[in-house]
Structures are given as C-alpha cells and as structure tokens.
Amino acid sequence: MRNFRFEDAEVIVLDSMPASRDITKNSLYDIGFRRFQLTDNFDEAREMIGGGSASLMITDAFLANSSSAQLILDIRNGKVGPDPFLPIIALTWEPTVEIVHSIVNAGTDLMLTLPLSTGKLLSAIETVIERRKPFVVTSAYFGPDRRTAARIEGDSVPLIEAPNSLRRKTTNDKSGPSLEAALELVKDQRVERHVAKITFTIGQISGLGGGDTPGTLEDWLWQLHEVVVDLDERISESRYGHLSGICKSLLDVSDGIATSGSPSAADLEILQQLALAIEVGIARDDTASVEAALDITAMVRKGTAAG
C-alpha cells in the first residue's frame, strides 16, 4: 500500500446518530486521519464546507429522515463551499434503489453500505485518491461520470479531470488541474450543454404535430422554460451576456405557446431560428453573431407587440 499522509487532510463527518458518527471517526483515526469536523445537521455541515478547509466529506445518506442528496447537489452546483469537486463518500444502512439513485445522481463519488469496516473505508478512500472518476457536465447533472449510454442531448460530452483536494493533501501531488482552471471549464461546458438541451427540446416541440415526439406539449415547454431560465442566469455575468436577449425572447415565445395551448407554424420557425442564433453566438462569439442574435430578438419582440 502506498504511504499517504492522512494526518494532513481534514474530514467532515456528517451523521445524526452519535454512535455511528463515532464509529466512522474511529475508523478514520485507525487509518491515520487526525483532523475532523463532526456534525449531526445540515446547517452546520454547510458552514463547515463553506470554510473550505476540508478535503473529504463522509455523510450518511439520511439525517433525521432527511436525504443528504440536496446537500451533495448544492456542493456540486457551487451553492455550498468553494470547491464543487470536493470528494464525497455516502453511507447507508438501506441501499434501496430509491436511496442509491438519489444519492448517486446528486454526484457522490462513492456509496458504501453499513456496517462500515476500517478496511472497506480505507479501500474507498484509496479509490478516491488514486482512481477517482473524471467528472461530466450535462444540462441536468454535474459529478463523477457514470454513463452507460449516450446522453439525451445526443452529442458526446467531454470529461473533466477533477481537482482532487484529498489527493493533494495526502500525496503532495500537485500535477492535476487547478481548481480555477477546472471551474472555468465547467462554466463553459454548462453553457454548451444547456444550449444543446434547448436545441433538442425545441426539436421535440416541433415534432409533436407529426406524432414523432413522446410526452406532452406542456412537459416540453416546462423543460424549455427551466433550461432557458437557468442558462440566462449563468451567462448574465459571463462573456456570453450579450445573448441574454435571446433567452428572454425564447421565454416570450414559449410562454405565448403555453397560453395559446398550441404552437403556430410561425412560433415553431421563430423558436428554431432563436435556437440557431444562440448556438452560433456560443460557438463563434463574434460581432456578426451578436448582431444576428439581436436582429432576431427585435423581430420576436416586434411580432409579440403586434399580436
């Protein structure tokens, strides 16, 4: 076994059961860890993570009958703490399909079943240090890549080598990507994935009339609304901020369709043109793309006012 400097790494242990929390801490101590932050509730955990000193979080899947999935999601989405790549190991006494699905899809690195042995925990920690999965960004997920099939957007999704605070602390290996560079890459890929989802969703809406699309108009319009709103928030203070007008026009048109209950041929054409404009604006990021985007936005707003 490689020699790791576990004593240099700080671990947050999140568990509402004192006995279980102590067992986890004692196992970590036997492995060689010496720095701990222990808590039994989510509010304290958020404060601890926000401090930015931890290199690993170990959490029970449930605390007082509340799932840890939302906390993991918030970490991965950058809403809690400075490092969305924080290594996370989840524990559960009941590995039901529902529990595993929610915790894994939130973005945990590994999920272990209890009772927990020191050997099992050590093996998991070594995996996170030496064989951590690369991360992936889609329109709905950010975390370790577990793909077994193509994503719904229909295109290849590049992998991101995750900055690994636990590896850096325990091995002093600083050869991986910096957190700052990885965050910039994630930001760009989130935008690209959102744009791909917008194009896909508009295609599904356009296909409803021919019976080629599953689901309902209401479902697809809701999905379009959600992804456009999120994209608009993400680009508002980025180099893509000039495309915010197109996002608002997409919302104008989709909201109009929702009100009328059925898209007209003109509505579908405008949606497709707006999707094309935002794709070009993201891909080329040049003056011509900006002007074309603004022309389409003006056309949509003029048509909306005339109607």
Side-chain angles (χ1 to χ4, degrees):
M1 184 186 77
R2 180 173 174 175
N3 290 323
F4 297 106
R5 296 198 313 275
F6 291 123
E7 66 275 9
D8 291 340
E10 185 173 297
V11 187
I12 293 173
V13 179
L14 178 57
D15 194 326
S16 57
M17 298 182 65
S20 178
R21 193 168 60 245
D22 288 344
I23 289 172
T24 301
K25 178 189 173 182
N26 291 339
S27 294
L28 288 167
Y29 192 90
D30 290 342
I31 290 170
F33 288 91
R34 294 296 182 266
R35 301 174 61 195
F36 308 98
Q37 294 193 72
L38 310 178
T39 183
D40 62 359
N41 67 82
F42 292 121
D43 289 340
E44 284 188 357
R46 289 172 183 273
E47 291 181 6
M48 292 172 177
I49 296 162
S53 60
S55 299
L56 172 66
M57 183 176 81
I58 298 178
T59 178
D60 197 337
F62 277 86
L63 273 73
N65 297 320
S66 294
S67 174
S68 297
Q70 188 60 55
L71 175 60
I72 297 171
L73 276 171
D74 287 345
I75 293 170
R76 294 295 183 235
N77 288 326
K79 296 179 180 179
V80 177
D83 182 6
F85 297 96
L86 177 70
I88 300 171
I89 296 174
L91 311 175
T92 182
W93 287 98
E94 299 181 85
T96 64
V97 172
E98 292 79 9
I99 292 174
V100 172
H101 185 270
S102 65
I103 298 298
V104 167
N105 284 351
T108 190
D109 283 274
L110 295 172
M111 191 163 189
L112 305 180
T113 56
L114 295 166
L116 188 65
S117 68
T118 300
K120 184 193 295 186
L121 182 58
L122 175 58
S123 177
I125 290 171
E126 288 178 336
T127 296
V128 172
I129 294 172
E130 299 282 31
R131 298 179 297 281
R132 193 180 193 193
K133 290 180 179 294
F135 275 41
V136 66
V137 179
T138 74
S139 59
Y141 173 79
F142 172 60
D145 179 40
R146 296 185 176 88
R147 286 174 295 178
T148 56
R151 294 290 181 186
I152 193 170
E153 287 90 344
D155 61 346
S156 60
V157 180
L159 300 177
I160 298 173
E161 183 182 355
N164 192 333
S165 56
L166 184 61
R167 179 180 177 83
R168 291 193 177 197
K169 280 288 186 180
T170 58
T171 68
N172 200 32
D173 181 355
K174 297 179 173 59
S175 61
S178 71
L179 178 59
E180 292 76 15
L183 288 176
E184 284 301 312
L185 184 57
V186 169
K187 186 187 299 182
D188 287 347
Q189 288 199 15
R190 280 192 188 278
V191 170
E192 292 172 8
R193 301 280 73 75
H194 276 43
V195 171
K197 182 62 179 291
I198 287 170
T199 301
F200 172 84
T201 305
I202 289 174
Q204 296 298 97
I205 292 171
S206 299
L208 282 168
D212 299 325
T213 301
T216 66
L217 177 63
E218 182 180 10
D219 291 338
W220 289 113
L221 287 174
W222 178 81
Q223 290 190 41
L224 180 61
H225 184 276
E226 290 292 299
V227 71
V228 171
V229 167
D230 193 61
L231 176 63
D232 193 27
E233 291 176 353
R234 293 184 183 281
I235 66 175
S236 61
E237 297 182 0
S238 75
R239 68 177 186 271
Y240 302 122
H242 56 277
L243 297 172
S244 182
I246 291 192
C247 291
K248 290 177 173 56
S249 293
L250 280 167
L251 293 174
D252 286 344
V253 177
S254 63
D255 290 348
I257 294 172
T259 299
S260 66
S262 178
S264 66
D267 289 331
L268 295 177
E269 176 65 22
I270 291 172
L271 283 178
Q272 290 167 352
Q273 290 299 320
L274 288 170
L276 177 60
I278 204 167
E279 277 189 323
V280 171
I282 294 295
R284 297 181 183 174
D285 195 21
D286 56 22
T287 302
S289 301
V290 174
E291 291 176 352
L294 293 176
D295 286 344
I296 293 174
T297 300
M299 175 191 71
V300 173
R301 293 195 182 284
K302 181 178 178 180
T304 302

